[in-house]
Every structure is written in structure tokens, then in C-alpha cells.
Amino acid sequence: MNDLTQSAFAKPRVVGQRTPRIDGEYKLTGRAGYTGELLAEGMRYGYPVPATIANGVLESLELDDALAMPGVVDILHHGHFESLHRSPNSMAHGDMVSEVRLPFEDERIYYHGQYVALVVAETFEQARAAAQRVVARYREDDGAVVGLLHTDTQGELQESAGTSRGDPEAAFGGAEVKIDSTYQIAAESHLQMEMHATLAEWRDDGKRLVVHESTQGVFFQRNAMARIFGIAQENLEVISHYIGSGFGNKLFMWPHAVATAVAARMVGRPVKVVLPRQQDMTGGGNRPASRQRVRLGADRSGKLTSVIHDSTTETSWVHQYVDACGSATPSFYACDNVSTSQRVLEVNHGTPCPMRAPGEVSGIFALETAMDELAVELGMDPVELRQKNNAEQDPASGLPWSSKHLDECLTSAARRFGWDKRDPAIGSMRDGDEIIGYGMASCTWSAGRQPCEARVELRADGSLFAACGTQDIGTGTYTIVAQAVAELTGTDLSRIEVKLGETSLPAGPLSGGSMATATVLPAVAAAVRDALDAIKEVAVGSGGAFEGSDADSLSAEAGGLTDGKRRVSFAEILETSKLSSVNGKGSAAPGDERSEYSFRSFGAHFVEIRIDPEISRVRVARVVSTIDIGRAINPPTARNQVEGGIVMGLGMGLLEKLDYDPRDARLINANVADYILPTHADAPEIDVELLDYPDFKHNEFGGRGVGEIGLTGVAPAIANAIYHATGKRYRDLPITIEALLASS
Ligand code: MOS
């Protein structure tokens, strides 16, 4: 087992340093090649036809007009489609799909926007025009479930997603101070910049399927497609070189991908489908609405004696997706009596799926708002209340934390924010016509790690090549891989080429769960070491640059090997021995440390809001955050993740909401005009500090990952600030102008 505490990266030169993105130039010059932009020889375009009811049966399709439109090649539907196999749809099987049923499997309609046909034509415009000519007739059934927040139905209990310790009910019953509140959060859209897209092509007389997909997991998609199409994994390649972000909805494979691959086979040409924004929003994933009840019991000193967190979230009729709101709760605060429960309710929407800090971000809104309510009830400073209940070890597992600095996050952010200037009296802080509110919340996200493989090549032209079948979803994975290679070899970053996003490369993880950094870098390091061993053998061998030396006496320095007296570049070593390259392979996986320590990141957000009471306009003026993610491998891109999370949290707190028509469960605002997002004008002054405590128990690079934690805790800090300004406790998100008006 690796002794992770003895890291080679205690004093790194490249890792942890500000490093411009190595793929930045490709993106800026338009050469990056996102899936939707790719062209293939003889390619055709597909355009899905979405159902216009949410619950019922497709009775007939009239296709004659559409088929007669210019350029139309074929129209796929239930009566004209291949027979395929269902996917097991489980992480344990290495795949995840949004629907267990196959596209066009039967005529049952479960949600508005479900595909009833796919038009294939010579151009995108022709496909779209013909799709609009397809006439579908339905039998609409009563009883569409409009959404969790439109019903009092309980939902089905998910035993596996609940936990309990101590006797929380009894402790709550006997508590000196009690909070019992219910929180509701509207469904949200990921609204990632690049919509779902697939380009599928059958090669070698239909034996081999090559799929370009904008996905957060090329291997997961390959595994799912191999089963669905009944072809060997080696005959299926999934490629995703550049991704215009995902936020979780590109973890699942969606029906358009399977339909596109079938279309490509049926028309005998490559076919591309790029979902239009409306379809991306209706059938390409969402954060499900949630209803949560939190009960907190405490003694008069503020010590928590009971935490009971009961959640219900939406799922669809075609997938059992559990957005586990309570999953951070058992580890959040030191308390002997804690329980969580989780229910799901089937609703007539497209399948919900993970969205940035899935479950926990909703759960932390409820928990951290309840903590603020408790602080008010106790007449205690909310920062002090959190410090008083700080968990010195993980109360869920009883294990020590690998590294936890929440207390420093709280004190540092409070100091930079100027929390000491806060007058806790409601509405007491004013600036002209505006009322100022201060609010805060803690935040957290788990630090996971997966097995991973990587490959490295040292080449005679002096370049280095590193490859791993993970993806860069825009977060900067290409760059940190290059940094790791540069660190271990002393090679200049400009000579390092990184390849990601192909299933032909060594198996890499999902870009999800904030796990990619901690997962991929150790495997890359292992591959670099293997390549260095190989080139040392070459160098000391017959005719080599260090012929006769002991391989162990050589070490890597500045893109070459040195014996302490002279340095010879990798290129020269390879030239001398007439070799074009040497290769290294490596793999890495979490080990015994996972049973010895608990791994989780923590942080704190402080928010200033300003309200103009005359017009009920609320504005987030400032956010000051301190987050502990271990070591930031590339500080600017890491900070950028937190800043993006803060803006997303502002949307969650004040603006974002998928609206479903109460009459027929249709998603009303499936477009970027009516789904309200924060704009630049809404963005506050943001001050993010990342602490620098490398977590070498987690991995030798000391980084815990940063994609998700920045979003958690933002919405409750905003709601708590609004309470401070107005004395009104808003427990439903988003806190819209209408809600502020209604209670003012
Ligand atoms: Mo994240 S929801 O794992 O992309």
C-alpha cells in the first residue's frame, strides 16, 4: 500500500501553481471541436419529435406530410425501430441511463417531451421542419402528477437512503429548544452551455460503432450502449474531447443517444442529433423539486441534542432517481441523536438526475436555514452556534477526518466579510433607501475517489504524451494532468500533450462527484514513474546515454535524467538508443485509508443582501467565502469553480425554477428567456479564499476536488441574510419578488 502521508508533492513547483489552461487556445480559436460542431462524411441530421401530453398513450402518427418534405430520409418511431436490449442502469454495472425503457419501446407516454419519433434529413433545418409536420394523436389520461410541490402525496420510502443513530425522536421530544420547519425547493434546470449532442457512425460493415457524445463518462456510455446494442465493448468507441459543461446531466445516457445510433444504422450513414434547448430542458435532466422537514433539538447553550431530517424528492416513471437530500446531515454536526429519511414521488416529468452537489445542496439549504432559525431562537450568533457544534471527527462513521479546517473557514471568511459589524437586530442596518442583511452558512461536500488507469509516453522529439479515459467538462482536467506530468519530469508544460475523453484510452472515471482530480492524478503519476523506469533502463543499457550506470542512481530533472553530475534530455537518451519512444502504464485506486479516515471538504459563505423595500427588490451585493479543498492543483481554475457555484447558488436562492402547468404537467418555461438565470448584472462582488492544507491521506497530490462544494450553502446564506433584513423567514426556493411582495 502507498504511504500517502509521504508525498513526493510536499513542495511542488508546478502543482498548486497558477497554470493557464493548456486547451485555452483551442477553445479561443474555435478549434476545440464540441460534439455539436463535428461533421462526418455523408452525415445526416436527426431531430426528435416530442410528445405534447404528459400522461397517456400515443394512438397514431401521421407521417406522410413529413416524409414528403425536402431532404427527409427516414422517420423512426415505435413501429419503425430496431429491437434492442434494456440496460441494467446501475453504477455497479458501470452504466447509468436516464430511462430503463428504450426509446420508442411502447406507445405509453410518461412525460411531456418524451420522444415519439425521430426525423432524419439531409440538413438540420430540413429535419426540424419535417419534425414540426409530424402529427401525433394521443389519448390523454387523467391523473398526471404535476410535481411534488403540487401534491400532498407522501411518496415511496427509500430505506437505503436513510440513517439513524441514538434516539432522535425522544431527544427532540425532550429538547429545551426546538425548531420544526418544512422547506420546499422548486425543480431547476442544469442549463449547461452546450446542449446534449450525439454523432453516431457505424464502421466496418456495421460491426463497429463510434459515438461522439457530450458526456461526463465515456466509459459509462460505452458500457450502456454495448449492452443495449448487444455488441462487444471493443467494437464500440465513445469519444468526448470537449464538453461545454455538464453539472451532472451528462452523467446519464439519454434516449437521444440510442435513437441516434439506431438512426445511423437504419439510414446507413453517420447521424448527428443536437437537442434544441427546449428538448434539453424537458427531457435532458433536471434537479428534482424537494420537500424537507428538519427538526432540531438543542439545549439552552446551543448544543444540538437531536437532528431529524426527512426528505421527499421527485423521480420520473421511467427511472428511480433518488436525490438524497440527507446525505451530508449525519456528518455535518456533532450530535448523538440524528436520523435522515428519504422518499421519492413519481411525477410526469422527464427524468431528474444529479445536478451539482446532488441531494446535499438541497439538504444543506434546509439544515443551514434551520440552524439560523435555531440561532435566532437562542439569541445566539449563528457563527458561534456552528462552532459550538463542530464535529471534531465524523460523527457518522466515528472515524477521524483526514483533514478538516471548518473553524478556520468560518473565522477567516467572517473577518474578511466584516461580520463583527453586524447588528443582529432585524432590519437595523440601512444604507439610504436600502435595508442591508447579513447571512451565513457552512458548506460541505464529500471527497471521493475511484480506481483509474493512465498511460504516458516519452518521445524522441522531446514531447511527452499522457492519456486517460476521463473527460474535461470545462473544469480544467487537461491542465492538471499536464501539471502532474510536468511536476514529475521537469518538462516544460508546452511540451506536454494530454489526451482525454476516449474509451480507447486507459479506463478513467466519470467527471462527477468532485472526484476526477483525486482519482486521475495518482494514476497519471504512476504512469509517469513507470515511463521513467523504462527510460532509465534504456539509458543504462548497452549503448545508452548512461551506459553501465545504476538505474537507481538516475533521477528526472528538467525534462531529462541526471546522475548528479550531468543531465541528458529524454530526447537525447532516446536518440542515443535509436528509440522513438518509451511508454509507461499506471493505475491507482483508493486503499485502506478509506477505512481509517473520513474524507470531506468544508467551507463557509457569508452574504450581504440589499433590499429596496419600496419595490421588494433584493440584490446579493457581496459574497465572501473560504473553502478548504485540501490543495488546489490549479488555484485559478479551482477558485473559478467556487465562483461559478456561488452564482449558481444565487440562481437557486432567488431566481431559478422550472414551472410546470398545473393543468397538464407541461414544462412551461423550457427556454432561456422564461427560465430566469442570474446574469452578469446580478452577480455580486465575490471574494473566494481557498485554504491550503494538502490532504495527503486522500491522495499523494493532496487535492480533494472542488466542482461541487462552492454551490452548497449559498442559498441558505442568502435566505438567512433576507431574514436578517426583513424578519421574514423564507423556506421555499427560489425566493422570488412575488414571494417578497406577498409577505411585505
Ligand atoms: Mo456532478 S452532479 O457529479 O456532475
Side-chain angles (χ1 to χ4, degrees):
M1 189 188 93
N2 284 340
D3 182 356
L4 296 175
T5 58
Q6 297 299 312
S7 174
F9 300 106
K11 288 200 167 61
R13 293 159 302 160
V14 188
V15 163
Q17 303 302 313
R18 179 186 183 90
T19 307
R21 291 172 189 259
I22 63 167
D23 52 340
E25 185 190 330
Y26 292 98
K27 291 183 171 177
L28 278 174
T29 55
R31 283 183 293 151
Y34 291 84
T35 304
E37 303 174 316
L38 301 177
L39 302 172
E41 182 78 30
M43 182 176 92
R44 298 296 183 241
Y45 294 81
Y47 197 97
V49 179
T52 55
I53 62 163
N55 185 36
V57 172
L58 173 66
E59 289 196 322
S60 68
L61 279 173
E62 274 175 37
L63 303 174
D64 291 351
D65 285 357
L67 282 166
M69 295 279 284
V72 172
V73 178
D74 203 352
I75 301 178
L76 281 49
H77 55 88
H78 172 54
H80 181 52
F81 200 70
E82 292 180 358
S83 134
L84 302 167
H85 309 272
R86 283 182 165 198
S87 154
N89 188 31
S90 85
M91 289 201 73
H93 284 89
D95 74 7
M96 276 193 292
V97 297
S98 67
E99 305 196 2
V100 175
R101 67 192 288 284
L102 295 158
F104 316 126
E105 186 177 293
D106 54 36
E107 281 148 335
R108 180 85 219 157
I109 304 296
Y110 298 92
Y111 61 93
H112 212 289
Q114 178 181 325
Y115 304 144
V116 297
L118 179 77
V119 177
V120 184
E122 286 168 22
T123 70
F124 172 78
E125 290 77 9
Q126 290 169 336
R128 181 177 57 186
Q132 286 160 359
R133 288 290 191 88
V134 170
V135 179
R137 294 216 161 72
Y138 303 96
R139 188 196 77 220
E140 191 168 359
D141 293 341
D142 292 338
V145 185
V146 175
L148 172 68
L149 306 184
H150 294 255
T151 172
D152 292 326
T153 311
Q154 277 273 306
E156 184 187 330
L157 187 65
Q158 302 286 302
E159 297 280 4
S160 60
T163 60
S164 185
R165 64 174 182 258
D167 191 344
E169 293 284 349
F172 180 76
E176 290 173 0
V177 183
K178 295 178 192 182
I179 297 296
D180 183 350
S181 296
T182 297
Y183 306 87
Q184 303 192 116
I185 306 176
E188 283 188 281
S189 176
H190 299 72
L191 219 81
Q192 77 291 350
M193 188 111 63
E194 181 205 21
M195 287 143 325
H196 288 290
T198 310
L199 166 59
E201 180 175 3
W202 294 86
R203 294 189 189 152
D204 304 343
D205 292 328
K207 286 193 211 53
R208 212 175 135 63
L209 173 59
V210 180
V211 177
H212 289 264
E213 176 85 33
S214 184
T215 174
Q216 294 174 243
V218 289
F219 278 94
F220 268 52
Q221 174 142 352
R222 182 206 62 182
N223 297 347
M225 288 193 121
R227 291 200 189 89
I228 287 169
F229 285 92
I231 56 179
Q233 289 180 348
E234 55 267 32
N235 289 329
L236 213 163
E237 192 169 333
V238 177
I239 302 168
S240 204
H241 289 151
Y242 293 96
I243 298 147
S245 97
F247 302 129
N249 59 342
K250 292 173 180 168
L251 295 168
F252 287 7
M253 183 177 71
W254 300 85
H256 71 274
V258 174
T260 306
V262 170
R265 185 145 72 184
M266 288 175 70
V267 307
R269 286 169 178 273
V271 172
K272 181 165 80 178
V273 169
V274 180
L275 293 189
R277 182 61 75 182
Q278 189 169 12
Q279 293 183 17
D280 196 89
M281 290 178 78
T282 49
N286 61 75
R287 187 198 299 287
S290 58
R291 180 181 289 129
Q292 305 174 66
R293 180 181 181 198
V294 173
R295 281 172 282 170
L296 300 180
D299 66 22
R300 286 268 158 224
S301 79
K303 186 87 200 69
L304 285 168
T305 54
S306 176
V307 177
I308 307 173
H309 187 171
D310 299 309
S311 312
T312 308
T313 54
E314 297 170 336
T315 189
S316 73
W317 293 99
V318 291
H319 182 115
Q320 183 82 325
Y321 172 67
V322 182
D323 207 48
C325 297
S327 57
T329 303
S331 298
F332 214 127
Y333 290 112
C335 179
D336 293 335
N337 306 293
V338 176
S339 73
T340 63
S341 77
Q342 174 81 37
R343 293 173 178 274
V344 294
L345 179 74
E346 281 112 344
V347 301
N348 289 81
H349 300 173
T351 294
C353 68
M355 176 169 150
R356 204 174 198 180
E360 294 194 6
V361 71
S362 307
I364 290 167
F365 167 69
L367 185 62
E368 285 297 275
T369 309
M371 285 296 279
D372 202 68
E373 295 181 49
L374 179 61
V376 169
E377 193 67 32
L378 290 162
M380 193 170 174
D381 184 281
V383 178
E384 196 190 327
L385 176 65
R386 284 163 176 84
Q387 286 167 325
K388 181 156 200 106
N389 291 287
N390 186 40
E392 306 278 355
Q393 55 181 21
D394 184 349
S397 63
L399 296 173
W401 300 108
S402 62
S403 178
K404 179 182 178 183
H405 299 274
L406 173 58
D407 198 53
E408 185 175 336
C409 293
L410 288 164
T411 52
S412 177
R415 186 180 60 247
R416 292 191 340 279
F417 181 81
W419 184 254
D420 59 346
K421 296 185 195 68
R422 173 181 183 261
D423 176 347
I426 300 298
S428 60
M429 295 172 68
R430 286 182 181 256
D431 180 8
D433 290 339
E434 290 183 320
I435 310 175
I436 295 172
Y438 281 6
M440 59 78 56
S442 293
C443 63
T444 183
W445 180 252
S446 61
R449 200 182 146 182
Q450 301 283 314
C452 183
E453 296 170 12
R455 186 164 73 78
V456 164
E457 199 170 282
L458 310 183
R459 293 167 171 167
D461 67 1
S463 68
L464 269 74
F465 172 81
C468 176
T470 189
Q471 309 68 216
D472 187 332
I473 58 172
T475 47
T477 310
Y478 279 113
T479 306
I480 59 168
V481 169
Q483 286 178 273
V485 174
E487 185 71 46
L488 285 161
T489 61
T491 307
D492 195 78
L493 282 163
S494 65
R495 303 309 317 270
I496 298 169
E497 184 192 334
V498 179
K499 194 155 205 179
L500 308 175
E502 293 186 17
T503 50
S504 60
L505 304 175
L510 295 171
S511 299
S514 301
M515 290 190 279
T517 298
T519 296
V520 173
L521 293 196
V524 170
V528 171
R529 293 191 183 106
D530 192 46
L532 289 175
D533 286 347
I535 200 165
K536 286 175 190 173
E537 287 306 319
V538 168
V540 301
S542 157
F546 290 93
E547 182 172 359
S549 296
D550 179 2
D552 291 340
S553 70
L554 302 176
S555 57
E557 184 190 288
L561 293 179
T562 176
D563 60 2
K565 296 192 249 340
R566 72 194 166 100
R567 186 193 69 90
V568 184
S569 73
F570 298 138
E572 275 177 80
I573 293 166
L574 293 168
E575 276 299 320
T576 305
S577 297
K578 303 271 179 292
L579 286 170
S580 63
S581 64
V582 293
N583 283 286
K585 285 200 299 196
S587 64
D592 299 346
E593 75 280 358
R594 310 301 296 185
S595 56
E596 293 164 18
Y597 298 97
S598 200
F599 298 87
R600 189 170 263 284
S601 288
F602 289 89
H605 297 290
F606 287 75
V607 169
E608 175 185 320
I609 61 105
R610 287 169 171 254
I611 290 184
D612 182 340
E614 295 294 314
I615 55 173
S616 283
R617 185 186 65 185
V618 59
R619 180 164 69 85
V620 178
R622 276 195 306 142
V623 179
V624 176
S625 308
T626 299
I627 314 279
D628 171 26
I629 53 158
R631 169 182 283 147
I633 307 301
N634 189 5
T637 49
R639 201 174 307 114
N640 181 252
Q641 285 298 305
V642 177
E643 290 164 353
I646 288 167
V647 175
M648 196 183 239
L650 195 163
M652 181 182 188
L654 300 178
L655 302 170
E656 294 185 51
K657 172 181 202 268
L658 289 169
D659 270 319
Y660 294 89
D661 192 321
R663 295 167 303 178
D664 62 1
R666 183 178 66 97
L667 178 58
I668 300 166
N669 58 345
N671 61 70
V672 186
D674 297 321
Y675 180 86
I676 304 173
L677 276 181
T679 64
H680 285 299
D682 298 302
E685 216 182 289
I686 297 174
D687 168 10
V688 172
E689 173 190 42
L690 302 175
L691 299 184
D692 186 21
Y693 294 103
D695 187 347
F696 293 129
K697 296 190 177 72
H698 189 39
N699 63 81
E700 60 178 313
F701 288 84
R704 276 196 303 267
V706 64
E708 299 173 280
I709 185 168
L711 172 60
T712 69
V714 176
I718 292 171
N720 297 341
I722 293 176
Y723 176 82
H724 177 226
T726 65
K728 301 269 165 38
R729 184 61 73 178
Y730 293 93
R731 299 187 183 87
D732 292 358
L733 296 183
I735 305 167
T736 58
I737 288 176
E738 294 90 318
L740 289 161
L741 276 171
S743 60
S744 64

